[in-house]
Every structure is written in C-alpha cells, then in structure tokens.
Amino acid sequence: MSPSSGKLRVFELCSGTNALGLGAEQAGFEVVGTAEVAKDARLLSFLNTGRHPLGDIRKLKGTDFPEAEVAGAGSSCKGFSHVGKRQGFAHPEGDLILHCIRIASERGVKAIVTENVEGLTNHENGKTLEVINETLIRHGYTPFAGRILRASDFACATTRPRWFAVSFQAGLNVAPLEWPTPKSPPVNLRSVLLPDHLVENLYINGSTFVQEGPKKLRTDPYAALRVGYLAKDYPDRRVYSIDAPAPTFLAGMGGPGGPSRMYLMDNGRVRRLASKEMLAAMGYPSGFRMPFDSFRAGKLIGNAICPPVAKAVMAMTYKAITGMEPPQ
C-alpha cells in the first residue's frame, strides 16, 4: 500500500481514456502511473488527470513505473474483435497483452486486471487465450479468471459486453473472486440525449429511414433495440431505438453513424450521437473533458471501458487482495 495514502496502488497500461483508472479511484485505489502511445489519448489523459503517460509499452520496463499492487492491462482488441480480420498476435497490436504481463511481472504487482472483447476468449478456438495464460504462468501468475460483463447491467445506457479478467501472483493468499451481479434498472439512451438544438448537425440527411416491424417479442430490456435501417447502402445502416440501451460503440464502424451508430428520434429523423452523449451513456462523469469532435472522439470512446464496470471489477480485486470491502 502507498505509505502516504494507505491505499492500494495501480498503474494503467494501454490506458486509453483512463476509464480503468477512473473506476479504480472510485473503488479506493490510488493511480500511480499510466502508459499510452496514441496521441489523442495522451492529450485526453493530461486534460482529465494531469498525468503525462509513458509511451510504447514494448519499450518500457517494470522499473519505469512506481511500485504498485495492481497493474491494469487495457491492451488492444483489434486483433481479436469480430469487427476486423482477427489476426490475433499477427496484428501490429496483438502482442500488447503479453507486454502488459511482462511489465507487471518486472514490477512485481500482486494482480493484473485486464479487459478485452469476447473474441479474445474464442480466438483460434481458444488457443490464443492458452498462450496468454501460459505467459502468465511463466511469469509467476495464475491463469486469467474472467467473465463477460455487460455495461447495461451496471446502469449504463449502452450494452457494451466485455471480457474482464484477473490474475494473481502464484501462491498469493487471496480471497475468492466475488464477481459482481448488479441488479440496476435498465437505463435507456433517451436519458442522456442533449437538447435537439445542440445536435442539429448530427442528423443524417439524404437517405430514407425504413422501419422494421418487431421480429420477435423483446424480452431483454438491457439489450439494444433495432428499429429499422437507412435505404441507402452503407457499410452499417442499422438504426436503433432511443428507448433502449445503445448498442456497443465501435471505433472502426463505417457509415454515416460512425462510431456511435444511428438512432431514430421522436421527430422521425435519424442521427448519430454527440461525444458527450456517448460518454454519458458509458457512465463517464459529467465533468470528463473530450476536446475532439464526434468522429475523432468516437474512435477513443469506441476503444474505451465503461467506468462503472471498471469500478466493480476493481472493487472485487481490492476485496480479493485485502479481504475487506474497498473504502468509499
């Protein structure tokens, strides 16, 4: 623990929008360092945390980071996502998770917390995850124990299912992981929308909306609801309801909706979302600063973690290490 604050310490690798660190702070941790190579994400980190992230983790060592009990590994999903070629470790960013493990081992942290797309767990019929777990074992850690957690179950207005996983130093005396089972009421996208006069420029013009009838009875209020599509042929032309959680925002999605996707408004028109709406849907605090426009911001947000889910996972990790509930 930090001798000054008495808190468990964590550093973030591939920190992106710092959502894991934000969740960790809300769960009683002290963030002592970050590393991120993307220029926009580095600027975002400074604006919101005052920290200057270290750079490429391939070139960093564990001793480049302050002492900590936990390493957060927000490594890239681009090699494993079903939205892409699924190149795995052959992708230019595919090996970042292995470098996260190396740095964590060199620094001697007690636990590694990671997040990625579900596609990592089934990539190459599970062989990719086997390689990752073998790497953990070689570096003195247990294989990842993970769960798919859906952000809409944590009072977020977007579904965003993601694989969260935790590994501990081999032989470390930890309490069993108590995975969160939230029971928050569903939060619909409507609740985070800005007044219409602020988003007029986000409406999609030049294409007809085609409404679809319900194909089956909707039984899951925590899932996104598709209501139609645009008649004009786009890579992604699906349109969703604002009276349901938004689908997952995707950094690389094509079409006029871009990363936010598209939604049918009460006036019968279709629009994409502003970055403020996307951040609010994902559970970022209202004071979170995003200096970029919706498409540039969307790339960052589409690669990000939802802070409420990060908080729950970090609180679970805190309790496993200390045997106590985290301070609030």
Side-chain angles (χ1 to χ4, degrees), residues 9 40 53-54 65 76 81 100 111 113 122 132-133 168 170 180 210 235 237 240 258 262 266 306 320 323:
R9 298 161 294 187
D40 281 356
L54 299 177
F65 295 87
S76 173
S81 174
C100 289
V113 177
N122 55 38
I132 293 171
N133 283 332
F168 296 101
V210 179
R237 53 180 180 164
Y240 296 89
M262 294 181 292
D266 290 333
C306 293

Side-chain angles (χ1 to χ4, degrees), residues 26-172:
Q26 294 171 349
F29 284 79
E30 178 184 357
V31 178
V32 295
T34 58
E36 174 58 57
V37 70
K39 182 178 178 180
D40 281 356
R42 290 170 62 85
L43 175 59
L44 198 68
S45 177
F46 177 71
L47 286 175
N48 286 286
T49 70
R51 291 187 289 267
H52 292 279
L54 299 177
D56 190 344
I57 64 171
R58 295 187 183 96
K59 302 176 182 178
L60 296 175
K61 299 179 180 179
T63 51
D64 293 321
F65 295 87
E67 290 186 11
E69 286 70 43
V70 178
S75 59
S76 173
C77 67
K78 295 176 184 176
F80 314 109
S81 174
H82 290 280
V83 182
K85 297 181 180 179
R86 307 202 75 198
Q87 295 172 285
F89 294 131
H91 188 278
E93 299 177 2
D95 66 341
L96 291 179
I97 181 61
L98 305 181
H99 285 279
C100 289
I101 295 169
R102 172 185 59 78
I103 289 174
S105 174
E106 292 171 351
R107 184 67 275 187
V109 303
K110 294 180 179 180
I112 304 169
V113 177
T114 193
E115 173 269 354
N116 216 292
V117 293
E118 183 177 5
L120 184 147
T121 66
N122 55 38
H123 186 263
E124 295 289 344
N125 295 317
K127 294 180 181 178
T128 296
L129 184 55
E130 288 181 9
V131 171
I132 293 171
N133 283 332
E134 289 169 359
T135 303
L136 283 165
I137 292 170
R138 286 200 310 272
H139 283 85
Y141 290 88
T142 61
F144 275 128
R147 295 281 178 89
I148 302 296
L149 299 179
R150 185 172 58 170
S152 55
D153 293 326
F154 292 79
C156 293
T158 179
T159 54
R160 201 162 188 82
R162 285 294 184 271
W163 180 68
F164 286 82
V166 184
S167 168
F168 296 101
Q169 280 182 337
L172 186 68

Side-chain angles (χ1 to χ4, degrees), residues 204-288:
I204 312 301
N205 299 315
S207 185
T208 303
F209 169 68
V210 179
Q211 187 169 0
E212 294 178 307
K215 296 181 179 179
K216 59 181 180 180
L217 182 65
R218 186 168 187 249
T219 59
D220 185 359
Y222 295 87
L225 177 62
R226 178 178 168 179
V227 293
Y229 59 93
L230 295 186
K232 191 172 181 179
D233 191 14
Y234 292 108
D236 180 33
R237 53 180 180 164
R238 292 168 289 184
V239 177
Y240 296 89
S241 171
I242 60 175
D243 289 315
T248 296
F249 305 136
L250 300 174
M253 181 57 66
S260 80
R261 326 287 276 268
M262 294 181 292
Y263 305 87
L264 180 65
M265 298 296 151
D266 290 333
N267 58 13
R269 299 171 66 193
V270 173
R271 72 169 173 91
R272 61 182 183 269
L273 300 180
S275 59
K276 286 185 178 181
E277 294 170 323
M278 297 169 71
L279 288 167
M282 290 181 66
Y284 282 78
S286 58
F288 189 87

